[in-house]
Amino acid sequence: ARPTSTKHRPTAIAQQCMCVLPSAPRALGLARRHAPFLAHIEDLAASLREARAGREASGKAARAAQDLATLAIHRRQIGDADGAATALSAAADDLGASLHGRVDGSDEEPTFSTAAQQLIAAETFDAFLRTGTLGARPSSTYTDEEWLGGLIAATHEVGR
């Protein structure tokens, strides 16, 4: 039966104030069923983080190699053959270190290629100043494009 007294009926203001308070949803119990999938996702995430760290370290080593190869060229231009040789050796070491994380088609690939071309240019320029020739192709780890780019850069240095 409906209350007849206004004491028991909510007023219009009270009706407007009545609302549903938010609460957490009840647990569905799906965590156990999806545990293998979630574990697989965590493994993938860890693998991606590790690969990214490797690519970033590889990119840093390649940029360091590029800087050292440029320094070697400048040292050769001013007649400091010993300083150039030291910089070339360090650049080759850094570029070799960057090979460990090299992934074809990765974001760091252009960084490696640029560093490789600069190292090839420095080695070729050094060979030209020592022997009067461009020298032999130093390594098979470079692509044909990197080798050609390095030779072109070396000819610019010879022209200076």
Side-chain angles (χ1 to χ4, degrees), residues 36-50:
F37 173 75
L38 294 174
H40 178 69
I41 293 298
E42 286 300 319
D43 290 344
L44 283 175
S47 174
L48 289 172
R49 282 190 298 273
E50 184 179 324

PDB file of all heavy atoms in Angstrom, residues 36-50:
ATOM      1  N   PRO A  36      47.737 -17.298 -18.765  1.00  0.00           N
ATOM      2  CA  PRO A  36      48.776 -17.592 -19.765  1.00  0.00           C
ATOM      3  C   PRO A  36      48.908 -16.470 -20.808  1.00  0.00           C
ATOM      4  O   PRO A  36      50.012 -16.106 -21.199  1.00  0.00           O
ATOM      5  CB  PRO A  36      48.307 -18.889 -20.422  1.00  0.00           C
ATOM      6  CG  PRO A  36      47.403 -19.518 -19.427  1.00  0.00           C
ATOM      7  CD  PRO A  36      46.756 -18.372 -18.693  1.00  0.00           C
ATOM      8  N   PHE A  37      47.789 -15.921 -21.228  1.00  0.00           N
ATOM      9  CA  PHE A  37      47.814 -14.822 -22.190  1.00  0.00           C
ATOM     10  C   PHE A  37      48.505 -13.597 -21.588  1.00  0.00           C
ATOM     11  O   PHE A  37      49.362 -12.984 -22.223  1.00  0.00           O
ATOM     12  CB  PHE A  37      46.390 -14.461 -22.624  1.00  0.00           C
ATOM     13  CG  PHE A  37      46.324 -13.238 -23.478  1.00  0.00           C
ATOM     14  CD1 PHE A  37      46.726 -13.280 -24.804  1.00  0.00           C
ATOM     15  CD2 PHE A  37      45.866 -12.036 -22.967  1.00  0.00           C
ATOM     16  CE1 PHE A  37      46.679 -12.147 -25.599  1.00  0.00           C
ATOM     17  CE2 PHE A  37      45.816 -10.900 -23.752  1.00  0.00           C
ATOM     18  CZ  PHE A  37      46.216 -10.956 -25.075  1.00  0.00           C
ATOM     19  N   LEU A  38      48.171 -13.262 -20.349  1.00  0.00           N
ATOM     20  CA  LEU A  38      48.783 -12.108 -19.696  1.00  0.00           C
ATOM     21  C   LEU A  38      50.278 -12.316 -19.487  1.00  0.00           C
ATOM     22  O   LEU A  38      51.077 -11.389 -19.655  1.00  0.00           O
ATOM     23  CB  LEU A  38      48.079 -11.831 -18.366  1.00  0.00           C
ATOM     24  CG  LEU A  38      46.610 -11.394 -18.497  1.00  0.00           C
ATOM     25  CD1 LEU A  38      45.977 -11.299 -17.122  1.00  0.00           C
ATOM     26  CD2 LEU A  38      46.502 -10.086 -19.244  1.00  0.00           C
ATOM     27  N   ALA A  39      50.670 -13.537 -19.159  1.00  0.00           N
ATOM     28  CA  ALA A  39      52.096 -13.837 -19.009  1.00  0.00           C
ATOM     29  C   ALA A  39      52.818 -13.684 -20.347  1.00  0.00           C
ATOM     30  O   ALA A  39      53.933 -13.157 -20.408  1.00  0.00           O
ATOM     31  CB  ALA A  39      52.291 -15.249 -18.457  1.00  0.00           C
ATOM     32  N   HIS A  40      52.180 -14.125 -21.421  1.00  0.00           N
ATOM     33  CA  HIS A  40      52.760 -13.985 -22.759  1.00  0.00           C
ATOM     34  C   HIS A  40      52.924 -12.503 -23.119  1.00  0.00           C
ATOM     35  O   HIS A  40      53.965 -12.101 -23.661  1.00  0.00           O
ATOM     36  CB  HIS A  40      51.881 -14.690 -23.791  1.00  0.00           C
ATOM     37  CG  HIS A  40      52.370 -14.560 -25.190  1.00  0.00           C
ATOM     38  ND1 HIS A  40      53.518 -15.168 -25.628  1.00  0.00           N
ATOM     39  CD2 HIS A  40      51.877 -13.873 -26.245  1.00  0.00           C
ATOM     40  CE1 HIS A  40      53.711 -14.872 -26.903  1.00  0.00           C
ATOM     41  NE2 HIS A  40      52.729 -14.082 -27.295  1.00  0.00           N
ATOM     42  N   ILE A  41      51.940 -11.696 -22.795  1.00  0.00           N
ATOM     43  CA  ILE A  41      52.014 -10.252 -23.061  1.00  0.00           C
ATOM     44  C   ILE A  41      53.164  -9.634 -22.275  1.00  0.00           C
ATOM     45  O   ILE A  41      53.913  -8.802 -22.795  1.00  0.00           O
ATOM     46  CB  ILE A  41      50.674  -9.567 -22.705  1.00  0.00           C
ATOM     47  CG1 ILE A  41      49.578 -10.028 -23.654  1.00  0.00           C
ATOM     48  CG2 ILE A  41      50.803  -8.059 -22.721  1.00  0.00           C
ATOM     49  CD1 ILE A  41      49.822  -9.681 -25.111  1.00  0.00           C
ATOM     50  N   GLU A  42      53.340 -10.032 -21.027  1.00  0.00           N
ATOM     51  CA  GLU A  42      54.447  -9.516 -20.208  1.00  0.00           C
ATOM     52  C   GLU A  42      55.794  -9.923 -20.804  1.00  0.00           C
ATOM     53  O   GLU A  42      56.731  -9.129 -20.836  1.00  0.00           O
ATOM     54  CB  GLU A  42      54.330  -9.999 -18.764  1.00  0.00           C
ATOM     55  CG  GLU A  42      53.246  -9.305 -17.981  1.00  0.00           C
ATOM     56  CD  GLU A  42      53.453  -7.799 -17.902  1.00  0.00           C
ATOM     57  OE1 GLU A  42      54.599  -7.350 -17.710  1.00  0.00           O
ATOM     58  OE2 GLU A  42      52.459  -7.071 -18.046  1.00  0.00           O
ATOM     59  N   ASP A  43      55.894 -11.167 -21.296  1.00  0.00           N
ATOM     60  CA  ASP A  43      57.132 -11.615 -21.941  1.00  0.00           C
ATOM     61  C   ASP A  43      57.420 -10.799 -23.200  1.00  0.00           C
ATOM     62  O   ASP A  43      58.566 -10.422 -23.458  1.00  0.00           O
ATOM     63  CB  ASP A  43      57.056 -13.099 -22.298  1.00  0.00           C
ATOM     64  CG  ASP A  43      57.089 -14.005 -21.083  1.00  0.00           C
ATOM     65  OD1 ASP A  43      57.470 -13.521 -19.989  1.00  0.00           O
ATOM     66  OD2 ASP A  43      56.724 -15.194 -21.226  1.00  0.00           O
ATOM     67  N   LEU A  44      56.388 -10.548 -23.997  1.00  0.00           N
ATOM     68  CA  LEU A  44      56.563  -9.725 -25.198  1.00  0.00           C
ATOM     69  C   LEU A  44      57.018  -8.314 -24.842  1.00  0.00           C
ATOM     70  O   LEU A  44      57.910  -7.762 -25.488  1.00  0.00           O
ATOM     71  CB  LEU A  44      55.257  -9.656 -25.996  1.00  0.00           C
ATOM     72  CG  LEU A  44      54.898 -10.864 -26.834  1.00  0.00           C
ATOM     73  CD1 LEU A  44      53.519 -10.675 -27.460  1.00  0.00           C
ATOM     74  CD2 LEU A  44      55.933 -11.103 -27.912  1.00  0.00           C
ATOM     75  N   ALA A  45      56.416  -7.730 -23.844  1.00  0.00           N
ATOM     76  CA  ALA A  45      56.785  -6.377 -23.420  1.00  0.00           C
ATOM     77  C   ALA A  45      58.240  -6.331 -22.963  1.00  0.00           C
ATOM     78  O   ALA A  45      58.986  -5.416 -23.317  1.00  0.00           O
ATOM     79  CB  ALA A  45      55.851  -5.890 -22.315  1.00  0.00           C
ATOM     80  N   ALA A  46      58.662  -7.335 -22.195  1.00  0.00           N
ATOM     81  CA  ALA A  46      60.058  -7.381 -21.737  1.00  0.00           C
ATOM     82  C   ALA A  46      61.006  -7.543 -22.923  1.00  0.00           C
ATOM     83  O   ALA A  46      62.059  -6.897 -22.985  1.00  0.00           O
ATOM     84  CB  ALA A  46      60.247  -8.531 -20.747  1.00  0.00           C
ATOM     85  N   SER A  47      60.630  -8.383 -23.876  1.00  0.00           N
ATOM     86  CA  SER A  47      61.454  -8.578 -25.070  1.00  0.00           C
ATOM     87  C   SER A  47      61.567  -7.289 -25.889  1.00  0.00           C
ATOM     88  O   SER A  47      62.648  -6.947 -26.369  1.00  0.00           O
ATOM     89  CB  SER A  47      60.843  -9.697 -25.920  1.00  0.00           C
ATOM     90  OG  SER A  47      61.526  -9.824 -27.129  1.00  0.00           O
ATOM     91  N   LEU A  48      60.475  -6.569 -26.023  1.00  0.00           N
ATOM     92  CA  LEU A  48      60.489  -5.297 -26.757  1.00  0.00           C
ATOM     93  C   LEU A  48      61.338  -4.250 -26.041  1.00  0.00           C
ATOM     94  O   LEU A  48      62.072  -3.499 -26.685  1.00  0.00           O
ATOM     95  CB  LEU A  48      59.063  -4.789 -26.960  1.00  0.00           C
ATOM     96  CG  LEU A  48      58.218  -5.577 -27.956  1.00  0.00           C
ATOM     97  CD1 LEU A  48      56.771  -5.095 -27.926  1.00  0.00           C
ATOM     98  CD2 LEU A  48      58.804  -5.466 -29.353  1.00  0.00           C
ATOM     99  N   ARG A  49      61.247  -4.209 -24.714  1.00  0.00           N
ATOM    100  CA  ARG A  49      62.088  -3.264 -23.953  1.00  0.00           C
ATOM    101  C   ARG A  49      63.565  -3.577 -24.142  1.00  0.00           C
ATOM    102  O   ARG A  49      64.389  -2.695 -24.314  1.00  0.00           O
ATOM    103  CB  ARG A  49      61.707  -3.287 -22.473  1.00  0.00           C
ATOM    104  CG  ARG A  49      60.450  -2.519 -22.136  1.00  0.00           C
ATOM    105  CD  ARG A  49      60.255  -2.367 -20.631  1.00  0.00           C
ATOM    106  NE  ARG A  49      60.100  -3.633 -19.944  1.00  0.00           N
ATOM    107  CZ  ARG A  49      58.933  -4.266 -19.776  1.00  0.00           C
ATOM    108  NH1 ARG A  49      57.834  -3.737 -20.245  1.00  0.00           N
ATOM    109  NH2 ARG A  49      58.884  -5.411 -19.137  1.00  0.00           N
ATOM    110  N   GLU A  50      63.902  -4.863 -24.108  1.00  0.00           N
ATOM    111  CA  GLU A  50      65.297  -5.286 -24.288  1.00  0.00           C
ATOM    112  C   GLU A  50      65.796  -4.945 -25.695  1.00  0.00           C
ATOM    113  O   GLU A  50      66.906  -4.442 -25.865  1.00  0.00           O
ATOM    114  CB  GLU A  50      65.410  -6.787 -24.041  1.00  0.00           C
ATOM    115  CG  GLU A  50      66.818  -7.306 -24.108  1.00  0.00           C
ATOM    116  CD  GLU A  50      66.876  -8.803 -23.827  1.00  0.00           C
ATOM    117  OE1 GLU A  50      66.094  -9.295 -22.986  1.00  0.00           O
ATOM    118  OE2 GLU A  50      67.696  -9.470 -24.468  1.00  0.00           O
TER     119      GLU A  50
END
